[in-house]
Amino acid sequence: MSSIRELHVITSGRHSLNEVLRMAEAAYAGGMNFLHIREKQRTAKECMDWVKALANVIPLSSLIVNDRVDVAAAAGCSGAHLAYHSLSPAEARMVLKTGQKIGRSVHSVEEAQQAIAAKVDYLLYGHIFASGSKPGLAPRGTIELAQMTAKWHVPIIGLGGITPDRTVQVLEAGCAGIAVLSGITDAIDAKSAASAYREALDRWEGK
């Protein structure tokens, strides 16, 4: 993770490859750093096909594959992002190549502590604000998030209901960046949407 505040975009599983290709190219032009291929319903072959196709429109080093450690390793992309049902970080490390990153989704200090002990490269924490992708679940806010960023130096990316206007609250809590789903993947103009987040990230004058 760099000193640049990062903009991660996560696919929804609701769009076709062609739609995601158009969105990814536009979002990258607008300032996206990483695209997470989060397609739970797709096979390993389909996920690999997505990586190969997407690598034609954005750098392979900007692609992260969710859950499918085998695909991430075979593709040689940026790395793999793990959920609670994925391989453990230690198991994933045995499969991935040297230099590939491992991320982990966490929802509490306890989960973060376990992931950090397992030597992940970054954490994804959420959902911070009310989110359409998590209906009925209370948002976690930024208090626990700030406690985590003060305690550990592992980069933490904030997720959930983040708008360009809310970006500053997430950065003030110590996040190394933000992750966005529908705010960019469902946008009519993905480049403009990504640019709005990019500007909010770059404008922040925090420590």
Side-chain angles (χ1 to χ4, degrees):
M1 293 284 164
S2 66
S3 59
I4 296 170
R5 302 291 162 182
E6 292 178 352
L7 175 56
H8 294 235
V9 178
I10 303 174
T11 68
S12 66
R14 294 184 286 104
H15 297 96
S16 69
L17 175 56
N18 282 335
E19 289 171 323
V20 172
L21 285 168
R22 286 194 295 272
M23 180 277 297
E25 187 171 17
Y28 186 77
M32 172 185 75
N33 301 105
F34 294 99
L35 178 70
H36 293 239
I37 300 172
R38 185 174 181 266
E39 299 289 315
K40 298 179 183 179
Q41 77 282 24
R42 302 194 192 279
T43 65
K45 182 185 183 303
E46 287 172 326
C47 287
M48 180 61 86
D49 289 343
W50 276 50
V51 174
K52 288 176 179 176
L54 282 158
N56 289 318
V57 297
I58 67 173
L60 187 61
S61 58
S62 289
L63 288 169
I64 294 172
V65 179
N66 282 46
D67 188 38
R68 298 305 307 234
V69 178
D70 51 349
V71 174
C77 61
S78 180
H81 187 82
L82 309 177
Y84 70 92
H85 56 262
S86 303
L87 295 179
S88 71
E91 290 162 342
R93 191 71 71 192
M94 295 170 71
V95 180
L96 292 172
K97 295 168 183 171
T98 303
Q100 286 188 295
K101 287 197 279 278
I102 293 177
R104 181 79 160 78
S105 292
V106 298
H107 309 91
S108 67
V109 170
E110 292 74 25
E111 288 183 9
Q113 194 155 15
Q114 291 169 4
I116 288 167
K119 294 183 168 55
V120 298
D121 297 294
Y122 71 92
L123 300 174
L124 201 60
Y125 173 87
H127 62 293
I128 296 172
F129 304 108
S131 170
S133 64
K134 301 284 185 182
L137 278 179
R140 301 179 193 284
T142 59
I143 294 173
E144 186 179 55
L145 174 59
Q147 293 169 349
M148 289 162 58
T149 60
K151 188 172 184 178
W152 296 299
H153 295 300
V154 171
I156 300 177
I157 306 297
L159 167 72
I162 301 172
T163 61
D165 288 342
R166 288 172 168 168
T167 296
V168 66
Q169 292 174 249
V170 182
L171 296 179
E172 282 175 347
C175 272
I178 59 170
V180 181
L181 285 86
S182 59
I184 292 176
T185 61
D186 289 345
I188 294 169
D189 184 342
K191 182 179 179 180
S192 293
S195 293
Y197 284 102
R198 181 76 264 157
E199 285 170 20
L201 289 164
D202 293 344
R203 200 166 52 232
W204 189 66
E205 296 284 335
K207 297 174 184 175

